[in-house]
Amino acid sequence: MAANSQFAIAIHVLTILARSGGERVKSDYIAGSVNTNPVVIRRLLSNLQEANLVESQVGAAGGTSLAKQPKDIRLSEVYNALSCGEVFALHSKEPNKDCPVGRNMAAFLCGLQKEIDKSIGEKLNQYTLRDVLEKIEER
Amino acid sequence: MAANSQFAIAIHVLTILARSGGERVKSDYIAGSVNTNPVVIRRLLSNLQEANLVESQVGAAGGTSLAKQPKDIRLSEVYNALSCGEVFALHSKEPNKDCPVGRNMAAFLCGLQKEIDKSIGEKLNQYTLRDVLEKIEER
DNA sequence: ATAACTGTAACCAGAATAGTTGCAATTTAA
DNA sequence: TTAAATTGCAACTATTCTGGTTACAGTTAT
């Protein structure tokens, strides 16, 4: 694997929940549409739950439903609820501190990373789950 | 490892080249500052060369130097020269085509991915290697 | 000629992510 | 009150990615 598909799956899952008409949906069913294992879905759902985007109920007749209206779920919230990695990684080994360039590189890159992350957040903040639903329907 | 640090290392490498005063720099020296193996550096340099950002010369007294002035090297060029991954990955397995959501998900996500990539490109386009040099010096 | 480099291919090692299995805890319903 | 259906979670496996390393061919300066 490698390459984080959490966000992609999360959008997929939330879209399914949004279309259930408020009915609780089982992880098994979701896994069928996403084409993965139910446990993978439940793991993800557990993150979305912490972020108060969905609500689950255990036991027979259990399942998960949205905790808010699609129009009130911003994609930036989804992104932040998950541990999606940064756009680029910093050096894996620390640069050489004896070199003036190496010494100051990390600080600069870290700042740049934050700026980019902010751009992404702003972009994702422009869309809600309702927008996703509309785009999916119109095909 | 995992998590692509190519971009971070590239900026580091280019900064070193920019400070060499036009002199060719050896991969061995660069590797010393970045704190990695010379081959890793040469691999990266090879990508930057394809993008016409640097020029290398083989043989004794060989090495690499910038192909343009720092003010003419935009960080977006650097980013594009490398195969940095996308911000988020699409599903690793294809979604279930029998489900209306699964069927349309990939197209939507792909579009969103492109939009985000564009934001990143625009952000990185605002900076040149000269800006990096200035930020590094002022510490 | 020889030594110093780059360019590259091939392989190894470590880490991250998704996929799986198994089971405890909870809830519904017969 | 027992059985069946579900979530929650821990632990393990499999796959894949990326960087590190080795080895060596080709090139150039001295």
Side-chain angles (χ1 to χ4, degrees):
Chain A
M1 271 79 265
N4 197 331
S5 58
Q6 295 269 301
F7 180 74
I9 298 181
I11 299 297
H12 190 152
V13 169
L14 290 169
T15 304
I16 290 176
L17 295 182
R19 289 167 53 108
S20 80
E23 292 292 304
R24 280 194 287 269
V25 183
K26 289 163 206 158
S27 64
D28 234 44
Y29 173 81
I30 300 175
S33 172
V34 174
N35 193 19
T36 185
N37 193 294
V39 177
V40 172
I41 299 298
R42 294 205 285 268
R43 266 199 294 242
L44 178 70
L45 247 16
S46 148
N47 287 325
L48 298 179
Q49 226 175 140
E50 277 175 42
N52 295 311
L53 299 177
V54 303
E55 289 168 340
S56 293
Q57 184 173 323
V58 301
T64 306
S65 53
L66 290 185
K68 308 199 223 177
Q69 304 251 317
K71 73 174 173 52
D72 295 323
I73 295 183
R74 300 198 167 274
L75 299 197
S76 51
E77 292 179 83
V78 179
Y79 189 75
N80 293 326
L82 308 170
S83 44
C84 305
E86 303 283 347
V87 181
F88 57 86
L90 268 26
H91 303 52
S92 43
K93 288 183 185 172
E94 277 229 330
N96 183 348
K97 297 287 185 196
D98 294 337
C99 167
V101 178
R103 205 159 42 221
N104 296 318
M105 212 66 227
F108 169 76
L109 288 169
C110 193
L112 185 59
Q113 205 171 53
K114 284 199 185 111
E115 265 195 72
I116 291 180
D117 220 48
K118 202 175 137 209
S119 311
I120 295 175
E122 282 165 5
K123 176 56 99 181
L124 290 176
N125 206 44
Q126 293 169 11
Y127 296 103
T128 68
L129 186 55
R130 185 162 75 178
D131 298 323
V132 178
L133 289 168
E134 281 169 11
K135 290 239 173 94
I136 296 274
E137 306 295 354
E138 82 191 15
R139 286 164 198 286
Chain B
M1 271 88 259
N4 197 331
S5 58
Q6 294 270 301
F7 180 75
I9 298 180
I11 299 297
H12 190 151
V13 169
L14 290 169
T15 304
I16 291 175
L17 295 181
R19 290 167 53 107
S20 80
E23 292 292 305
R24 281 194 285 269
V25 183
K26 289 164 205 156
S27 64
D28 234 45
Y29 173 81
I30 301 175
S33 171
V34 174
N35 192 19
T36 184
N37 194 292
V39 176
V40 171
I41 299 299
R42 292 204 288 266
R43 268 200 292 243
L44 178 70
L45 247 16
S46 150
N47 287 324
L48 297 179
Q49 226 174 138
E50 276 174 42
N52 294 311
L53 299 176
V54 303
E55 289 168 339
S56 293
Q57 184 172 321
V58 301
T64 306
S65 53
L66 289 185
K68 307 198 223 177
Q69 303 249 317
K71 74 173 172 52
D72 295 323
I73 296 182
R74 300 200 167 272
L75 300 198
S76 51
E77 292 180 84
V78 179
Y79 189 74
N80 292 325
L82 308 169
S83 45
C84 305
E86 303 285 346
V87 182
F88 59 86
L90 267 26
H91 303 54
S92 43
K93 286 184 187 172
E94 276 229 332
N96 183 348
K97 297 287 185 196
D98 294 336
C99 166
V101 179
R103 205 159 42 222
N104 296 318
M105 211 67 226
F108 168 76
L109 288 169
C110 194
L112 184 59
Q113 206 171 53
K114 285 201 184 106
E115 265 195 73
I116 292 180
D117 222 46
K118 202 175 137 207
S119 312
I120 295 175
E122 283 165 5
K123 176 56 101 182
L124 289 176
N125 206 43
Q126 293 170 11
Y127 296 102
T128 68
L129 185 56
R130 185 162 74 178
D131 298 323
V132 179
L133 289 167
E134 281 169 9
K135 290 239 173 94
I136 297 273
E137 306 294 354
E138 81 192 15
R139 287 166 196 282

